[in-house]
Amino acid sequence: MKSVSAQGCARGFGFGALLGLCVLDFAAVSSEGHDVWPTAAVIAVGLAALLWPADLRPAWLTPQVRITVPAVVSLAGTVGITLAGEQRVFGPGEITIMLCLLFIAVRHCPRRWAVVCGTLDAVAGLALPVGFYRSLSDDETLGFLVVGLLLIGLVGGLAGYLRSLDFRRTVAVAETRRDERVAIAADLHDFVAHHVTGILVQTQVARMMADSRTSRTSRSDDLDPVLAGIERAATEALASMRRTVGVLRDTGPDEAAHRPVGDLAGISGLIEGFASPIQKVTLHRDPALPDDLPHEVQAAAFRVVQEALTNVRRHAADATEISVGLWCEDHRLMVAVADDGRGGTQLPAAARGGGFGLVGLTERVTALGGTLWAGPRVGHGWEVRAVFPLRKSI
């Protein structure tokens, strides 16, 4: 059995009390023999604005709309009945609705709208006794106005105080996240940079030793390209890590210059850096594919190719032919990476990854409205295919 929280009990009690006050409004109007439709319209619109579940509200039902419509309906009813020479009967339910809407306006509306909507609700609430007594000089009218101003001040002050607490909480959360990002950046730099730099230094030493040995005998053309590729990969890894650290540290106005880059043009360089004497990578790019695609789509396509090639190294080191395809079809960007490997790898278990690359890649692709598929090819080999919808026609 699910327990009921204290907040849920308080909310239910508040809803019940509000409905009870609205019933008193109808009773007061009926006892005076006046038309109940103006009061019913205000109460119906006000209750809908207050009690409409948040998860069922349409996009157009913003806090500004929820607050403005009941206040305008109330003011229109007061002005219309007053001009017709009748009295505007009011009760505690309508006043409570206006105060609740004032609270929402001050606490939840954008800053400029909070002033406008809050003032409109306050005026609508203060106009209720004026429409009943028909004069501002009446002592009872002045008494109601004074009490109304006090209530408006208390409700507005409470809402403003809670809004300030929300702002402080948001600032505190942002600072905490920034501190965590700085800590992650420090760990990334200290641990990853250490090992990648070691790879780079050892590769450079191996190249020098290979050059010294082959200079005395016959120079080998097979070992040096492999070592050059390792050196280039380590250098690019360090550069990418520095850019990522810059993003995590949020380094002010120059932050954009430190963001990791990746677009369709960069796929060619990615393939050149991946190719080796054993593995041949071929890029098949449709000549009709434009270069001005949305940057987020190009970056995601770059990551798809990058992750697919990385998985070839990890899980299909025996692959000899890798093909990368880029083309457009029905206003969609198609990205495909296929290999002819049989699953052979010489990497240790710690270097093969835990499958989180494809998980993160799927999240990136689906965030753009696309789809990602990865699976075995007919016969042997593996294929990764991504589809990105394009907003602009090609």
Side-chain angles (χ1 to χ4, degrees):
M1 183 176 180
K2 188 176 181 179
S3 60
V4 181
S5 63
Q7 184 179 3
C9 292
R11 183 176 298 175
F13 177 79
F15 290 166
L18 180 59
L19 293 177
L21 293 175
C22 293
V23 172
L24 291 178
D25 282 15
F26 286 109
V29 174
S30 300
S31 64
E32 295 289 337
H34 295 285
D35 190 4
V36 299
W37 289 110
T39 301
V42 176
I43 290 178
V45 175
L47 290 179
L50 291 175
L51 304 183
W52 199 315
D55 54 346
L56 298 179
R57 292 174 193 157
W60 57 265
L61 192 59
T62 60
Q64 299 91 297
V65 175
R66 294 170 56 204
I67 294 161
T68 302
V69 173
V72 170
V73 172
S74 178
L75 280 174
T78 300
V79 173
I81 292 178
T82 303
L83 293 178
E86 300 178 2
Q87 286 185 329
R88 174 75 157 93
V89 180
F90 69 97
E94 190 170 352
I95 295 176
T96 304
I97 288 175
M98 291 299 137
L99 291 176
C100 292
L101 294 174
L102 173 65
F103 181 88
I104 296 175
V106 176
R107 185 174 184 186
H108 297 293
C109 282
R111 186 174 301 176
R112 296 180 180 178
W113 278 102
V115 177
V116 176
C117 296
T119 303
L120 185 61
D121 279 321
V123 171
L126 293 176
L128 293 176
V130 177
F132 180 77
Y133 292 103
R134 309 288 298 280
S135 175
L136 290 173
S137 60
D138 191 281
D139 292 338
E140 292 184 352
T141 305
L142 293 177
F144 273 110
L145 290 177
V146 171
V147 174
L149 288 174
L150 289 176
L151 290 175
I152 289 172
L154 290 175
V155 172
L158 176 61
Y161 173 71
L162 294 178
R163 180 169 184 148
S164 66
L165 291 182
D166 293 339
F167 177 75
R168 293 176 184 176
R169 187 181 301 110
T170 302
V171 173
V173 170
E175 291 179 352
T176 302
R177 289 179 176 176
R178 184 182 183 279
D179 292 340
E180 292 177 352
R181 291 168 65 185
V182 171
I184 293 173
D187 292 340
L188 180 65
H189 181 272
D190 293 342
F191 293 105
V192 179
H194 170 76
H195 296 292
V196 175
T197 304
I199 295 174
L200 178 60
V201 172
Q202 294 181 34
T203 304
Q204 292 173 340
V205 172
R207 292 191 68 187
M208 289 188 294
M209 294 177 61
D211 289 341
S212 62
R213 291 179 180 179
T214 54
S215 61
R216 291 193 299 266
T217 57
S218 61
R219 181 174 178 82
S220 172
D221 294 331
D222 295 333
L223 181 61
D224 189 69
V226 175
L227 295 176
I230 298 175
E231 181 181 359
R232 181 171 58 253
T235 303
E236 292 176 354
L238 285 173
S240 298
M241 187 202 62
R242 292 191 186 99
R243 289 193 293 265
T244 304
V245 169
V247 173
L248 290 173
R249 289 187 177 276
D250 192 14
T251 52
D254 296 332
E255 177 188 357
H258 298 281
R259 289 191 177 276
V261 294
D263 51 17
L264 296 184
I267 293 179
S268 299
L270 184 66
I271 291 175
E272 292 177 1
F274 178 86
S276 67
I278 299 176
Q279 294 178 324
K280 179 182 177 182
V281 186
T282 306
L283 175 61
H284 303 280
R285 174 170 175 170
D286 188 355
L289 184 64
D291 295 327
D292 59 345
L293 298 180
H295 176 71
E296 60 273 12
V297 174
Q298 296 194 49
F302 181 89
R303 298 304 180 195
V304 169
V305 177
Q306 185 181 51
E307 180 65 24
L309 294 179
T310 301
N311 286 337
V312 171
R313 284 261 174 87
R314 289 174 175 173
H315 307 290
D318 59 337
T320 57
E321 296 286 341
I322 301 102
S323 63
V324 178
L326 298 172
W327 73 96
C328 282
E329 183 178 312
D330 296 333
H331 304 305
R332 298 179 300 170
L333 174 63
M334 316 293 290
V335 182
V337 181
D339 65 79
D340 61 351
R342 299 180 181 270
T345 178
Q346 299 177 355
L347 292 179
R352 297 176 191 174
F356 299 110
L358 285 178
V359 173
L361 199 61
T362 303
E363 294 175 351
R364 178 189 288 267
V365 174
T366 54
L368 297 175
T371 57
L372 180 72
W373 178 86
R377 301 173 61 190
V378 178
H380 61 274
W382 193 266
E383 183 177 10
V384 176
R385 185 180 294 267
V387 180
F388 299 94
L390 302 177
R391 297 179 181 177
K392 56 190 291 187
S393 60
I394 298 177

